[in-house]
Amino acid sequence: MRLVLLYLALWSFAFASAHTVIEPPVSQGLTSFAIVVDNSTYEATRMALLKYRDAVEADGLSTYIIRGDWNTPDEVKLEIIKVYHQAVHLEGIVLVGDIPVAMIRNAQHLTTAFKMNEETFPFPQSSVPSDRFYDDLHLKFDFIGQDSVRTNHFYYKLSEDSPQCLNPNFYSARIKYPDGWKGDKYVALSDFFIKAADTKKQISKDPLDNIVAFNGGAYNSDCLIAWMDEEKAYRENFPLAFYKGQNFKHLNFRMDKAMKHSLLDELQRPDIDLFMFHEHGLPTKQVINNERTGDKFEERLRLVKTYLYHSLQKMVAAGKNEDSLKQILIEKYHLTDAFFKELHLDSFWKNDSIISADVYLTPEDLSGVATYPKIVLFNACYNGSFQDDDYLAAYYLFNRGNTVVAQGNTRNVLQDRWTIELIGLLSHGVRVGQYNRLIATLEGHLMGDPTARFAPIITDLKLDADIELKQGQSDYWSKLISVPYADIQSLTLRMIVDADSLCTNANEILNIFKSTSWNTVRMEALKLLGRYNNACFTEAVHMGIGDSYELIARHSANYAGEIGDPVLLPALIREWIDGGERQRVGYIINSVLPLFPQNEVECAIDEFYRQTERTNALEEQIQVKKILNRKFAMVEQINAKIKNEKLPVTERIAAIRMLRNNPYHCYVLDYLDLLACKETPVKVRVAMAEALGWFVHSQERIRILEGCRKLLQTDLPDELYLELQQTIKRLI
């Protein structure tokens, strides 16, 4: 383990003098903001940083500067907390320069998709770099240690007695020049501050009306319905962008085999306000197109040549004779000698490299390019990996264009998440940071200026201030439910539910779900009903499976699996068999049906075919059951491994970890018995306790809570006691 375990030493550093200075605001606004910076960066960029500070204050935010020689994240956080308590409503911070990175463990349930085994993978890979350490003061962390190689990285465990959900007190962002880049980082940071200050004056007066959205290859199963249906939401999110044909471009990778060149053209349009990438990604790559499959004979021939040439070269490199290998391939695939005439031609391999490169958008493509969208969103894995020496989002920020803020992820991210939730608030004068705080995940971050905002559509409605100053005032927000803009209505629902500590508004939210014509408002209502976790939620999910908006159908299908109530099966079966054009919905239903009791699923299938008149219905019914029988056989194998006392502990734990994505509701009694059995190895019991914490929406949730609470009253090993405590907090 690459850790310097100096717990006591580091804590003594954290509370020693670090030459910290808190510079108060120059002017007074309704709310406040803080620039957190290391002393070296402050001294080297002071004039530009102060210009940025002045621009933020001119936009209505009293702005503090917190500077110091930072040794640990705790030290930085301590100073932020001081300002949080003394400021007039601190609404956000930006972390500038060399601010320590908190690497979070024991909190994968706060991510959308990251589920790497923390026991078997190294700390740097299995921890989540997250600034929720700084902006969510509700969370409690236990310090583990400092990385011995990346000494600016510090490992923390989410405490078992901490709140187990995200609720940031304020928004945050990073302005970080990549450590691995050449050039003067202080010059680059100064240039960015000047750009952010100048751009702020422009965009706060401009409406959000020029937008590009792009879906890359293999995203959401390449489902065209999913891609097309998003325009239903975009029209609600960005009402000003649909008056002219060029104001909103809804692009798809299918439009060109090398779509990245069109995207580079769009990125250099000076009038673009917002650019949304929905794609797969890596720290320094955006996946734009799928690998080519060949739609013409010449293309298919090239692909065959490329494959066989690569195979041949690999074997030659291993010491095999080239001529002999050629002869084998000629005989095996009925080829001629002429097939290999391009094997050693530079022109062939150059063309092959170009075609391969066209799949990705890379730093080489972006080098020297001025990107002009003020805001760029990367709904992709890893594109926001600011903790690395190089990260893709930086290429959009540190250039001479107008891009001042990017949203990206430090780890992999679920592609089925609602990527544009509340995005339309940007049409109403809400700051990017305020929007991002409302949709917080552990891995999701802003990079750049989080205070950026566009001119609001309704000039006398001050949502940017109301979001901050009218939290908890349900009466105020209820008055806005009739404002004729979808995202304002969605925000209203969110604020009402946030303030509903007694959980009395489920029926009201359900009625809105049933009655509203706004697609995004229905989606917000569905998500909020998940907090109530009651019959209203199940009813909405049942209706949502067949909703006209694909995203609602997709999320409802997933929620149905998480709930596990057989009453949802008829709707799932109908959508699965009749709704084949919704590829991603079908994929999810295919995944969640094995979470239900097999006999209930088979009964629902039989009932569906009794009431339908389909061609070859009997043959189809038999095939459908065969598909599911194979899946249910796998379920039995997984659960047999979990119970098998003769298997190695590691194999049983690997099977238990499957429950994180697959809550097998009908096996809960078995799981609780295993959990309570003192003869079961402690590590297996701990793994089961952790896995049961993922049954958040399960109809067995109360039973699990009762079992865990009862077990807590007995004599338990410390690690099992702590894990049970955490599971209970996750389920209540």
Side-chain angles (χ1 to χ4, degrees):
M1 186 174 68
R2 305 161 62 229
L3 295 178
V4 178
L5 297 177
L6 300 174
Y7 182 90
L8 294 176
L10 283 169
W11 274 93
S12 65
F13 265 124
F15 292 98
S17 172
H19 309 293
T20 57
V21 174
I22 298 175
E23 296 184 15
V26 175
S27 63
Q28 189 65 47
L30 293 175
T31 58
S32 302
F33 181 71
I35 300 169
V36 185
V37 60
D38 64 279
N39 277 328
S40 296
T41 299
Y42 177 81
E43 293 299 331
T45 67
R46 184 173 179 275
M47 296 307 295
L49 187 147
L50 292 179
K51 180 176 180 179
Y52 169 67
R53 187 272 312 271
D54 293 344
V56 173
E57 290 210 325
D59 198 34
L61 292 175
S62 301
T63 303
Y64 292 80
I65 296 176
I66 308 172
R67 53 187 173 90
D69 296 321
W70 310 115
N71 295 307
T72 70
D74 288 289
E75 186 179 281
V76 180
K77 189 173 185 177
L78 187 66
E79 300 303 315
I80 292 172
I81 291 173
K82 287 180 184 177
V83 171
Y84 177 71
H85 288 302
Q86 74 183 57
V88 178
H89 194 100
L90 183 71
E91 70 166 57
I93 63 172
V94 63
L95 305 170
V96 177
D98 298 319
I99 304 298
V101 177
M103 306 286 286
I104 307 303
R105 303 178 65 75
N106 192 41
Q108 293 184 9
H109 54 286
L110 302 180
T111 71
T112 61
F114 187 72
K115 293 182 175 64
M116 187 177 287
N117 192 326
E118 293 181 357
E119 296 292 326
T120 58
F121 285 89
F123 271 48
Q125 285 75 51
S126 60
S127 305
V128 181
S130 182
D131 286 337
R132 299 298 83 78
F133 179 88
Y134 293 116
D135 62 33
D136 194 332
L137 305 182
H138 307 92
L139 302 179
K140 295 168 61 179
F141 297 96
D142 297 328
F143 177 70
I144 299 174
Q146 180 183 18
D147 195 280
S148 58
V149 176
R150 303 294 297 272
T151 55
N152 204 36
H153 292 187
F154 296 79
Y155 297 97
Y156 292 84
K157 181 185 82 168
L158 181 70
S159 300
E160 286 82 4
D161 62 344
S162 167
Q164 299 294 315
C165 59
L166 295 173
N167 185 21
N169 299 72
F170 41 83
Y171 57 80
S172 69
R174 286 256 177 180
I175 301 176
K176 183 178 182 293
Y177 188 80
D179 295 333
W181 280 16
K182 296 179 181 178
D184 190 321
K185 67 177 179 180
Y186 297 126
V187 170
L189 288 168
S190 293
D191 289 345
F192 179 82
F193 289 136
I194 293 169
K195 175 172 74 169
D198 292 341
T199 303
K200 182 175 294 298
K201 297 173 185 176
Q202 302 168 19
I203 67 171
S204 62
K205 299 175 183 177
D206 294 335
L208 178 53
D209 58 1
N210 279 283
I211 299 163
V212 177
F214 170 73
N215 276 43
Y219 194 78
N220 287 340
S221 301
D222 288 342
C223 178
L224 280 171
I225 300 299
W227 171 68
M228 291 165 57
D229 257 23
E230 284 306 274
E231 193 156 314
K232 295 177 180 177
Y234 292 143
R235 289 180 178 274
E236 297 174 4
N237 299 143
F238 312 114
L240 301 182
F242 286 88
Y243 290 122
K244 297 178 182 178
Q246 297 299 309
N247 280 37
F248 193 99
K249 290 194 176 183
H250 194 189
L251 306 179
N252 188 284
F253 75 96
R254 292 178 175 88
M255 294 175 175
D256 197 311
K257 290 181 180 178
M259 193 65 190
K260 75 174 185 181
H261 302 294
S262 297
L263 298 180
L264 287 168
D265 288 342
E266 295 296 327
L267 286 167
Q268 294 176 82
R269 284 172 53 194
D271 57 337
I272 297 297
D273 298 317
L274 170 66
F275 204 115
M276 295 178 286
F277 286 102
H278 306 289
E279 32 96 1
H280 293 292
L282 295 164
T284 55
K285 280 186 178 179
Q286 294 176 256
V287 181
I288 303 303
N289 285 80
N290 290 330
E291 296 284 350
R292 295 192 188 180
T293 55
D295 54 4
K296 294 181 180 179
F297 173 77
E298 292 80 4
E299 180 68 11
R300 290 194 289 272
L301 177 60
R302 186 195 66 79
L303 290 169
V304 172
K305 282 186 176 182
T306 300
Y307 173 74
L308 292 180
Y309 284 9
H310 274 296
S311 300
L312 191 151
Q313 287 185 331
K314 185 177 181 180
M315 289 185 284
V316 169
K320 301 290 181 64
N321 180 269
E322 182 178 305
D323 291 334
S324 300
L325 292 170
K326 282 183 183 178
Q327 195 57 42
I328 292 171
L329 293 173
I330 285 171
E331 293 176 4
K332 182 176 181 179
Y333 294 108
H334 307 288
L335 304 173
T336 65
D337 289 333
F339 180 85
F340 295 99
K341 68 180 181 180
E342 296 177 295
L343 176 61
H344 298 294
L345 286 181
D346 290 342
S347 57
F348 177 86
W349 293 109
K350 180 179 180 180
N351 183 56
D352 182 68
S353 297
I354 291 171
I355 291 171
S356 297
D358 284 342
V359 172
Y360 306 104
L361 194 55
T362 66
E364 290 74 22
D365 298 314
L366 294 164
S367 180
V369 172
T371 60
Y372 283 93
K374 288 78 174 177
I375 303 169
V376 180
L377 308 185
F378 301 100
N379 296 316
C381 304
Y382 300 109
N383 284 171
S385 298
F386 63 79
Q387 77 281 359
D388 290 346
D389 287 340
D390 196 5
Y391 66 100
L392 191 121
Y395 291 87
Y396 289 80
L397 298 175
F398 297 108
N399 64 59
R400 65 185 185 280
N402 290 340
T403 304
V404 294
V405 60
Q407 181 194 66
N409 300 288
T410 58
R411 290 295 187 229
N412 60 305
V413 64
L414 188 71
Q415 60 180 307
D416 286 310
R417 71 191 181 105
W418 187 10
T419 58
I420 55 172
E421 180 182 6
L422 297 174
I423 187 69
L425 292 178
L426 300 180
S427 296
H428 300 286
V430 171
R431 301 183 193 280
V432 180
Q434 293 174 313
Y435 144 73
N436 197 65
R437 180 178 65 81
L438 292 170
I439 58 161
T441 63
L442 195 65
E443 73 275 17
H445 292 81
L446 290 179
M447 290 137 283
D449 174 21
T451 69
R453 61 170 179 160
F454 295 96
I457 296 174
I458 306 174
T459 55
D460 58 349
L461 187 60
K462 307 297 183 184
L463 279 187
D464 60 311
D466 293 344
I467 285 175
E468 305 298 334
L469 303 177
K470 297 188 183 298
Q471 296 177 30
Q473 299 182 26
S474 297
D475 290 344
Y476 170 79
W477 292 104
S478 295
K479 295 174 184 177
L480 299 185
I481 197 65
S482 59
V483 175
Y485 290 99
D487 283 271
I488 294 179
Q489 292 188 16
S490 293
L491 177 65
T492 294
L493 297 184
R494 171 69 176 272
M495 290 298 191
I496 290 172
V497 172
D498 282 351
D500 187 16
S501 58
L502 299 178
C503 298
T504 59
N505 289 325
N507 283 311
E508 178 186 348
I509 306 300
L510 177 61
N511 288 335
I512 290 172
F513 175 82
K514 291 178 177 179
S515 61
T516 183
S517 60
W518 297 106
N519 297 283
T520 53
V521 176
R522 286 203 308 284
M523 183 62 218
E524 187 67 33
L526 175 67
K527 184 174 180 180
L528 291 172
L529 283 167
R531 294 196 196 177
Y532 292 96
N533 231 356
N534 58 13
C536 290
F537 180 45
T538 302
E539 184 177 349
V541 167
H542 189 273
M543 294 177 62
I545 292 168
D547 196 271
S548 60
Y549 180 28
E550 188 272 350
L551 189 72
I552 291 177
R554 197 192 322 163
H555 278 255
S556 295
N558 191 63
Y559 283 140
E562 292 181 3
I563 294 169
D565 190 335
V567 73
L568 299 167
L569 283 170
L572 286 171
I573 297 298
R574 182 176 62 253
E575 184 67 23
W576 188 41
I577 297 173
D578 275 348
E581 70 279 2
R582 295 185 178 195
Q583 292 168 269
R584 196 67 186 178
V585 177
Y587 168 82
I588 290 176
I589 295 175
N590 190 48
S591 301
V592 304
L593 285 175
L595 304 179
F596 294 83
Q598 184 171 1
N599 65 316
E600 298 274 8
V601 175
E602 290 178 346
C603 287
I605 291 171
D606 293 340
E607 184 61 25
F608 173 82
Y609 280 101
R610 269 195 295 271
Q611 298 181 16
T612 189
E613 295 182 6
R614 296 171 66 87
T615 305
N616 300 321
L618 181 59
E619 293 85 347
E620 184 181 272
Q621 184 177 2
I622 292 171
Q623 289 302 314
V624 165
K625 285 191 174 182
K626 279 185 177 179
I627 292 171
L628 286 173
N629 284 340
R630 288 194 291 269
K631 289 183 171 292
F632 278 109
M634 291 178 63
V635 173
E636 291 181 10
Q637 290 173 13
I638 290 168
N639 283 281
K641 285 184 177 181
I642 290 172
K643 292 188 289 185
N644 191 341
E645 298 175 1
K646 297 179 181 180
L647 284 179
V649 166
T650 53
E651 287 191 37
R652 296 181 73 184
I653 290 175
I656 290 170
R657 286 176 62 84
M658 295 289 290
L659 304 184
R660 292 168 143 214
N661 285 335
N662 302 281
Y664 299 120
H665 310 276
C666 54
Y667 286 87
V668 162
L669 286 177
D670 292 340
Y671 301 153
L672 291 173
D673 287 344
L674 181 150
L675 186 64
C677 180
K678 293 184 178 180
E679 285 71 36
T680 301
V682 173
K683 286 189 176 297
V684 174
R685 297 172 76 188
V686 170
M688 179 56 74
E690 193 272 343
L692 289 172
W694 295 82
F695 285 60
V696 176
H697 291 129
S698 174
Q699 63 173 0
E700 299 293 331
R701 181 177 63 92
I702 301 302
R703 191 194 301 271
I704 294 170
L705 274 170
E706 290 173 349
C708 290
R709 283 170 171 156
K710 182 178 179 181
L711 198 55
L712 272 187
Q713 306 307 311
T714 65
D715 185 30
L716 297 170
D718 289 345
E719 58 182 317
L720 179 57
Y721 181 90
L722 290 172
E723 196 65 61
L724 284 169
Q725 188 180 43
Q726 186 170 23
T727 289
I728 289 170
K729 281 184 170 289
R730 290 170 62 185
L731 294 179
I732 56 177

